[in-house]
Amino acid sequence: MSDQGQWQVAGNAADVYERALVPAIFAPWAPLVVALAEPKPGERVLDVACGTGVVARFASQRVGRTGGVVGLDLNPGMLAVAAASAAGPAATGAPIVWREGSAVAMPLADGSFDVVCCQLGLQFFPDRSAALAEMHRVLVPGGRLGLMVWRSIEHSPGFGIFAGALARHVSGEAAEIMRAPFALGDAEQLRKLIGAASFRDVVVRPVAGTVRFPSAARFVQDQVAGSPLAGPVAKVSDEARAVLAREIEEGLGPYLDGAAVAFPIEAHLASARR
């Protein structure tokens, strides 16, 4: 199974993703990803692997009503939630168009955008080099790239605890699904990939952040329900699921603050020019 296939969600998982996982994990990083490419009023922005659209919504505010934003994703469920989340009047933001399509064969014209953003998508693409080449193709000369991937799972102890428990109580496949988001954690590998796609002025830097959930139990429940883990976890017994949750909650003991849980996570932020 490709990394991209491992990280597709189904059913109401996209709703859980937007409601629970976006604010707890992804939203704090979205302004940083957008700022990497310095979008200006009136510019056109593409958000690749947009998911439920948190980066696209931030970009819309940056470029204003005279600009334009396209959110591209392979998953129609994610796009449906993205469209619903961005619905309603936007007094200051650019209109957002949601497009279904692959990052390795974008249904978009050459030189269509001033800015391309990609938050936590590159590590899942079946051909990362092809996806970066597509990002380069759709940018205007001098266009900017802002990209984010997680560092290795060792820099995110909460997810490391989760992956270990999944391996013991669910399956190796489930553990690999949990580890897949951290599969492009080497900064030099990332820098070479971007440079090989003919981007210039490539800068990659590590940045630390925090994952926050109201409780350890919510962390387990929401991560399973809002991700491809739902399928493998549903196949095991109630007893195995209870042991899984208990082991993760115990492992998160050092990161508890009252009922809430907060643990560190690190990303690589990359910028470049066409």
Side-chain angles (χ1 to χ4, degrees):
M1 181 184 295
S2 71
D3 285 346
Q4 190 177 36
Q6 283 183 326
W7 207 255
Q8 293 297 309
V9 299
N12 68 347
D15 294 294
V16 177
Y17 181 96
E18 171 64 20
R19 172 182 53 79
L21 301 187
V22 166
I25 305 172
F26 307 114
W29 298 89
L32 302 181
V33 175
V34 173
L36 281 169
E38 301 178 341
K40 300 173 178 61
E43 289 192 322
R44 301 156 297 168
V45 179
L46 172 64
D47 180 12
V48 180
C50 65
T52 55
V54 63
V55 168
R57 295 194 294 271
F58 273 99
S60 170
Q61 295 302 310
R62 284 289 295 264
V63 299
R65 292 184 66 110
T66 60
V69 177
V70 172
L72 180 76
D73 202 279
L74 195 61
N75 191 307
M78 287 286 204
L79 291 172
V81 173
S85 299
T92 59
I96 305 174
V97 176
W98 306 103
R99 295 286 303 271
E100 184 177 343
S102 169
V104 302
M106 296 184 194
L108 301 165
D110 295 0
S112 302
F113 298 94
D114 304 289
V115 166
V116 169
C117 294
C118 184
Q119 182 188 42
L120 299 168
L122 184 62
Q123 64 265 50
F124 298 119
F125 300 150
D127 188 333
R128 296 163 181 165
S129 296
L132 284 163
E134 282 289 271
M135 295 180 204
H136 187 273
R137 178 183 67 80
V138 301
L139 278 170
V140 298
R144 289 97 65 202
L145 174 70
L147 188 147
M148 170 186 169
V149 297
W150 294 130
R151 297 187 72 192
S152 65
I153 200 168
E154 287 73 22
H155 296 281
S156 183
F159 288 112
I161 290 165
F162 209 133
L166 286 166
R168 287 185 287 275
H169 304 295
V170 179
S171 67
E173 176 195 2
E176 285 307 304
I177 290 172
M178 185 73 270
R179 292 182 180 277
F182 304 91
L184 190 52
D186 182 83
E188 190 57 30
Q189 180 188 8
L190 178 61
R191 186 179 292 106
K192 287 180 178 177
L193 274 170
I194 297 171
S198 299
F199 282 100
R200 57 190 175 85
D201 302 332
V202 180
V203 176
V204 178
R205 61 187 177 93
V207 177
T210 304
V211 173
R212 301 180 190 277
F213 279 85
S215 67
R218 279 286 304 277
F219 171 51
V220 177
Q221 294 163 10
D222 292 341
Q223 188 63 44
V224 170
S227 79
L229 289 171
V233 173
K235 294 177 183 178
V236 301
S237 67
D238 290 345
E239 180 181 3
R241 285 193 292 271
V243 173
L244 172 74
R246 185 167 61 249
E247 182 173 312
I248 294 170
E249 291 178 38
E250 290 174 355
L252 290 171
Y255 306 103
L256 294 178
D257 181 10
V261 62
F263 57 85
I265 192 167
E266 295 188 16
H268 285 305
L269 298 182
S271 61
R273 290 183 177 272
R274 187 189 189 283

